[in-house]
C-alpha cells in the first residue's frame, strides 16, 4: 500500500520492437521510440502498473473526498517536511526520485486516503478505551544526555542540592545533545504518538510530575539521560479527549495494511472503475474482489 502513496516520479525507458505509428517520444541512432512502444512496455512492468493503480485511486479519491482536503493543508505538511530536513530537503527528494511537485501530489494523495479512512472506518467505544490507556497529553521536558552512567549519577547528585533549579546550567555544561544543550536541554513538546523519541525515554518522561526530574539515569541507545518535566498537563477524563483519541486511531489505521486494503476496495467499488485495456483488466482484482467478499459477508 505504501507504494501507492510514494509513486516514483521517474521510470526507466525500455526499448522494444517497432510498433504502429504514434507520437515519437525519443529518437536514437538505432531508431525512434514511439508513445505506443513506451506504453506497451511500461504496462508490462510492476512500476507501470503501480503508477496506473495510483492514478486510478487518485481520481476516485479526488471525486469522493476532494472537497475535504485544501491546498493549505498540503502546503502546511510540505513546509513541515521542508523545515524538518532543512538544507538536505532537495537531496532527500532527489534520492527518492521525487520533485517538489510530485511530493506535494503524494501528500495530497495521503490526505485524501485519510479522509476515506475517516469516512469508512467507524471508531468504536472499545477502540477509544484502548487508545485512552496509552494516551498522554503533549508534554514538555528538558534532558541532559551523557555517555556514562556515573556522569549521569553525578549530575543527579548536583541537582539534589537545590531541588533541580540548576538543571539548565548543568545541561549546557554536560549534555552531549548539541541540538538542545544551549536551550537548557529543552525538547519540543510530544505526546504518546511521537515516534522520534525512544520508548524508554517517553515512559520515564510521562511518569514525572511537573517540576520533577529523574532520580536515576534513564538508559537508551543514545546514552544516559537525566530528564526534568517542565510542563505535564493532567490527563483528565477520556470524554474530554474523544476528538484527539479518534484522530490517533485514524492515524494508526493509516499504518494498518488490512484497514487500508478494505477502505481502498470500498472507494474503488464506489468509483465505478472500468479498465479498457485487456492486458490490464485484472489490475485492481485484489481490491475489487475483497470488496465483493466484504459486502457478501455483511
Amino acid at each position: 500500500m505504501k507504494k501507492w502513496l510514494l509513486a516514483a516520479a521517474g521510470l526507466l525507458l525500455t526499448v522494444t520492437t517497432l510498433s504502429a505509428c504514434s507520437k515519437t517520444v525519443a529518437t536514437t541512432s538505432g531508431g525512434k521510440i514511439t508513445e505506443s512502444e513506451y506504453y506497451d512496455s511500461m504496462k508490462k512492468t510492476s512500476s507501470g502498473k503501480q503508477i496506473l493503480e495510483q492514478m486510478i485511486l487518485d481520481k476516485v479519491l479526488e471525486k469522493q473526498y476532494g472537497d475535504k482536503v485544501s491546498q493549505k493543508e498540503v502546503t502546511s505538511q510540505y513546509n513541515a517536511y521542508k523545515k524538518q530536513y532543512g538544507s538536505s530537503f532537495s537531496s532527500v527528494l532527489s534520492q527518492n526520485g521525487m520533485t517538489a511537485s510530485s511530493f506535494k501530489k503524494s501528500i495530497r494523495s495521503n490526505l485524501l486516503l485519510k479522509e476515506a479512512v475517516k469516512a469508512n472506518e467507524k471508531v468504536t467505544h472499545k477502540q477509544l478505551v484502548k487508545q485512552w490507556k496509552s494516551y498522554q497529553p503533549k508534554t514538555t521536558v528538558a534532558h541532559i544526555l551523557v555517555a556514562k552512567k556515573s556522569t549521569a549519577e553525578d549530575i543527579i547528585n548536583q541537582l539534589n542540592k537545590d531541588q533541580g533549579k540548576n538543571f539548565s546550567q548543568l545541561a549546557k555544561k554536560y549534555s552531549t545533545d548539541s541540538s538542545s544543550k544551549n536551550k537548557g536541554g529543552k525538547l519540543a513538546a510530544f505526546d504518546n504518538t511521537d515516534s522520534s523519541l525512544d520508548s524508554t525515554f517517553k515512559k520515564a518522561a510521562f511518569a514525572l510530575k511537573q517540576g520533577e526530574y529523574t532520580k536515576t539515569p534513564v538508559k537508551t541507545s543514545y546514552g544516559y539521560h537525566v530528564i526534568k518535566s517542565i510542563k505535564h498537563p493532567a490527563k483528565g477524563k477520556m470524554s474530554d479527549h474523544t476528538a484527539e483519541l479518534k484522530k490517533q486511531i485514524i492515524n494508526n489505521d493509516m499504518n494498518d495494511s488490512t484497514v487500508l486494503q478494505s477502505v481502498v476496495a470500498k472507494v474503488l467499488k464506489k468509483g465505478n472503475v472500468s479498465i479498457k485495456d485487456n492486458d490490464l483488466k485484472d489490475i485492481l482484482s485484489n481490491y475489487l474482489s475483497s470488496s465483493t467478499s466484504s459486502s457478501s459477508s455483511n
Side-chain angles (χ1 to χ4, degrees), residues 2-13:
K2 289 186 178 179
K3 290 181 180 178
W4 279 47
L5 303 179
L6 295 172
L11 296 170
L12 286 174
L13 187 63

Side-chain angles (χ1 to χ4, degrees), residues 39-260:
Y39 172 76
D40 287 342
S41 175
M42 289 314 306
K43 74 178 182 180
K44 295 179 177 69
T45 67
S46 59
S47 55
K49 290 175 181 177
Q50 286 165 13
I51 287 183
L52 177 58
E53 289 173 347
Q54 183 66 53
M55 291 174 72
I56 292 171
L57 182 59
D58 283 345
K59 288 287 186 183
V60 293
L61 284 173
E62 197 67 58
K63 172 67 175 177
Q64 294 172 32
Y65 304 104
D67 61 341
K68 298 191 179 292
V69 177
S70 67
Q71 188 56 42
K72 185 178 179 180
E73 290 177 90
V74 175
T75 302
S76 177
Q77 277 203 18
Y78 176 84
N79 288 338
Y81 280 113
K82 191 173 182 180
K83 181 179 179 181
Q84 179 184 344
Y85 288 101
S87 59
S88 63
F89 182 63
S90 295
S91 61
V92 170
L93 285 182
S94 180
Q95 288 165 15
N96 285 278
M98 305 190 87
T99 62
S101 178
S102 64
F103 184 48
K104 286 180 181 179
K105 188 173 181 180
S106 179
I107 290 173
R108 183 169 182 82
S109 295
N110 194 53
L111 290 172
L112 287 169
L113 184 57
K114 182 179 283 191
E115 289 299 329
V117 171
K118 288 180 187 177
N120 288 280
E121 289 295 302
K122 182 180 179 182
V123 175
T124 66
H125 180 72
K126 184 177 180 180
Q127 287 177 299
L128 289 172
V129 171
K130 181 180 179 181
Q131 192 65 26
W132 175 246
K133 290 179 180 178
S134 61
Y135 174 76
Q136 288 287 343
K138 279 194 175 294
T139 300
T140 304
V141 304
H143 81 132
I144 302 172
L145 174 64
V146 293
K148 296 181 179 180
K149 183 179 180 181
S150 58
T151 306
E153 290 172 337
D154 179 55
I155 291 169
I156 291 171
N157 289 333
Q158 293 184 59
L159 288 169
N160 289 338
K161 293 178 181 179
D162 66 354
Q163 291 77 50
K165 293 179 182 178
N166 58 338
F167 194 98
S168 181
Q169 289 76 19
L170 291 173
K172 292 176 182 178
K173 181 178 180 180
Y174 290 103
S175 185
T176 59
D177 180 3
S178 58
S179 65
S180 68
K181 65 179 298 178
N182 292 326
K183 296 183 286 186
K186 186 177 179 181
L187 299 174
F190 58 92
D191 61 16
N192 58 296
T193 64
D194 186 280
S195 58
S196 64
L197 295 172
D198 185 279
S199 58
T200 303
F201 183 97
K202 289 196 296 181
K203 184 177 180 180
F206 291 142
L208 294 171
K209 292 181 181 178
Q210 192 163 304
E212 288 184 340
Y213 57 89
T214 50
K215 297 302 193 297
T216 57
V218 178
K219 184 181 180 182
T220 71
S221 59
Y222 300 100
Y224 293 88
H225 306 258
V226 181
I227 308 169
K228 181 178 181 179
S229 177
I230 298 174
K231 184 178 181 181
H232 191 175
K235 188 172 179 178
K237 299 183 295 182
M238 187 179 85
S239 58
D240 295 331
H241 302 281
T242 302
E244 180 61 26
L245 291 173
K246 286 183 177 179
K247 181 180 177 181
Q248 291 187 5
I249 291 169
I250 293 298
N251 286 336
N252 290 338
D253 285 343
M254 289 295 290
N255 292 306
D256 187 325
S257 59
T258 302
V259 171
L260 293 182

